[in-house]
Structures are given as structure tokens and as C-alpha cells.
Coordinates of all heavy atoms in Angstrom, one line a residue:
R1 N -2.5 -0.2 18.7 CA -1.8 -0.7 17.4 C -0.7 0.3 17.0 O -0.8 1.5 17.2 CB -2.9 -0.7 16.3 CG -3.4 -2.1 16.1 CD -4.3 -2.1 14.9 NE -5.4 -2.9 15.4 CZ -6.7 -2.6 15.1 NH1 -7.0 -1.6 14.4 NH2 -7.6 -3.4 15.6
K2 N 0.3 -0.3 16.5 CA 1.4 0.5 16.0 C 1.0 1.2 14.7 O 0.2 0.7 13.9 CB 2.6 -0.3 15.7 CG 3.2 -1.0 16.9 CD 4.4 -1.8 16.6 CE 5.0 -2.4 17.8 NZ 6.1 -3.4 17.5
K3 N 1.4 2.5 14.6 CA 1.1 3.2 13.4 C 1.8 2.6 12.2 O 2.9 2.2 12.2 CB 1.6 4.7 13.6 CG 1.0 5.4 14.8 CD -0.5 5.7 14.5 CE -1.0 6.5 15.6 NZ -2.1 6.0 16.4
K4 N 1.0 2.6 11.1 CA 1.6 2.1 9.8 C 2.5 3.1 9.2 O 2.2 4.3 9.2 CB 0.4 1.8 8.9 CG 0.7 0.8 7.8 CD -0.5 0.4 7.1 CE -0.5 0.8 5.7 NZ -1.7 0.5 4.9
D5 N 3.6 2.6 8.7 CA 4.6 3.5 8.1 C 4.1 3.8 6.7 O 3.9 3.0 5.8 CB 5.9 2.8 8.0 CG 7.0 3.6 7.4 OD1 6.8 4.9 7.2 OD2 8.1 3.1 7.1
P6 N 3.8 5.1 6.4 CA 3.3 5.5 5.1 C 4.2 5.1 3.9 O 3.8 5.0 2.8 CB 3.1 7.0 5.2 CG 3.3 7.4 6.6 CD 4.0 6.3 7.3
A7 N 5.5 5.0 4.2 CA 6.5 4.6 3.2 C 6.2 3.2 2.7 O 6.6 2.9 1.6 CB 7.9 4.8 3.7
Q8 N 5.6 2.4 3.5 CA 5.3 1.0 3.1 C 4.0 0.9 2.5 O 3.5 -0.2 2.3 CB 5.4 0.1 4.4 CG 6.7 0.0 5.0 CD 6.6 -0.8 6.3 OE1 5.5 -1.1 6.8 NE2 7.8 -1.2 6.8
D9 N 3.4 2.0 2.1 CA 2.0 2.0 1.5 C 2.1 1.4 0.2 O 3.1 1.1 -0.4 CB 1.4 3.4 1.5 CG 0.0 3.4 2.1 OD1 -0.5 2.3 2.3 OD2 -0.5 4.5 2.3
I10 N 0.9 1.2 -0.4 CA 0.8 0.4 -1.6 C 1.6 0.7 -2.9 O 2.2 -0.1 -3.4 CB -0.7 0.3 -2.0 CG1 -1.4 -0.5 -0.9 CG2 -1.0 -0.3 -3.3 CD1 -2.9 -0.5 -1.0
P11 N 1.7 2.0 -3.3 CA 2.4 2.2 -4.6 C 3.8 1.7 -4.5 O 4.6 1.9 -3.6 CB 2.4 3.7 -4.7 CG 1.2 4.2 -3.9 CD 1.1 3.2 -2.8
G12 N 4.2 0.9 -5.5 CA 5.5 0.4 -5.7 C 5.8 -0.9 -4.9 O 6.9 -1.4 -4.8
S13 N 4.7 -1.5 -4.3 CA 4.9 -2.7 -3.5 C 5.2 -3.9 -4.5 O 4.8 -3.9 -5.6 CB 3.8 -3.0 -2.6 OG 2.6 -3.1 -3.3
S14 N 5.8 -4.9 -3.9 CA 6.3 -6.0 -4.8 C 5.3 -7.1 -4.9 O 5.5 -8.0 -5.7 CB 7.6 -6.5 -4.3 OG 7.4 -7.0 -3.0
D15 N 4.2 -7.1 -4.2 CA 3.3 -8.2 -4.1 C 2.1 -8.1 -5.1 O 1.2 -8.8 -5.0 CB 2.8 -8.5 -2.7 CG 2.0 -7.3 -2.2 OD1 2.0 -6.3 -2.8 OD2 1.5 -7.5 -1.1
G16 N 2.2 -7.2 -6.1 CA 1.2 -7.0 -7.1 C 0.1 -6.1 -6.7 O -0.8 -5.9 -7.4
T17 N 0.1 -5.6 -5.5 CA -0.9 -4.7 -5.0 C -0.8 -3.3 -5.7 O -1.8 -2.6 -5.8 CB -0.9 -4.5 -3.5 OG1 0.4 -4.1 -3.1 CG2 -1.3 -5.7 -2.8
A18 N 0.4 -3.0 -6.2 CA 0.6 -1.7 -6.9 C -0.3 -1.6 -8.2 O -1.0 -0.6 -8.4 CB 2.0 -1.4 -7.3
A19 N -0.3 -2.7 -8.9 CA -1.2 -2.8 -10.1 C -2.6 -2.7 -9.7 O -3.4 -2.0 -10.4 CB -0.9 -4.0 -10.9
L20 N -3.0 -3.4 -8.7 CA -4.4 -3.4 -8.2 C -4.8 -2.0 -7.8 O -5.9 -1.5 -8.0 CB -4.6 -4.4 -7.1 CG -6.0 -4.6 -6.5 CD1 -6.9 -5.1 -7.6 CD2 -5.9 -5.6 -5.4
Y21 N -3.9 -1.4 -7.1 CA -4.1 0.0 -6.6 C -4.3 0.9 -7.8 O -5.2 1.7 -7.8 CB -2.9 0.4 -5.8 CG -2.9 1.8 -5.2 CD1 -3.7 2.1 -4.1 CD2 -2.2 2.9 -5.8 CE1 -3.8 3.3 -3.6 CE2 -2.3 4.1 -5.2 CZ -3.1 4.4 -4.1 OH -3.1 5.6 -3.6
A22 N -3.5 0.8 -8.8 CA -3.6 1.7 -10.0 C -4.9 1.4 -10.7 O -5.6 2.4 -11.1 CB -2.4 1.4 -10.9
Q23 N -5.3 0.2 -10.8 CA -6.6 -0.2 -11.5 C -7.7 0.4 -10.7 O -8.7 1.0 -11.2 CB -6.7 -1.7 -11.6 CG -5.9 -2.3 -12.6 CD -6.0 -3.8 -12.5 OE1 -6.6 -4.4 -11.6 NE2 -5.5 -4.5 -13.5
S24 N -7.6 0.3 -9.4 CA -8.7 0.9 -8.5 C -8.8 2.4 -8.7 O -9.9 2.9 -8.7 CB -8.4 0.5 -7.0 OG -8.4 -0.9 -6.9
L25 N -7.7 3.1 -8.7 CA -7.7 4.5 -8.9 C -8.3 4.9 -10.2 O -9.1 5.8 -10.3 CB -6.3 5.1 -8.8 CG -5.7 5.3 -7.5 CD1 -4.3 5.8 -7.6 CD2 -6.5 6.2 -6.6

């Protein structure tokens, strides 16, 4: 598997996962 680019990780993503991530934290 290709390594995931950490820059593409959740914070600041445009699909609403950033809010979910913040809530989870």
C-alpha cells in the first residue's frame, strides 16, 4: 500500500470530517 500523505489528514478537510474530528477529540 502507498503511504498516506500526512498533509491530507483530517484537520481542515472539506468533506465535514474536520468537524467530526474536532468533536471526537
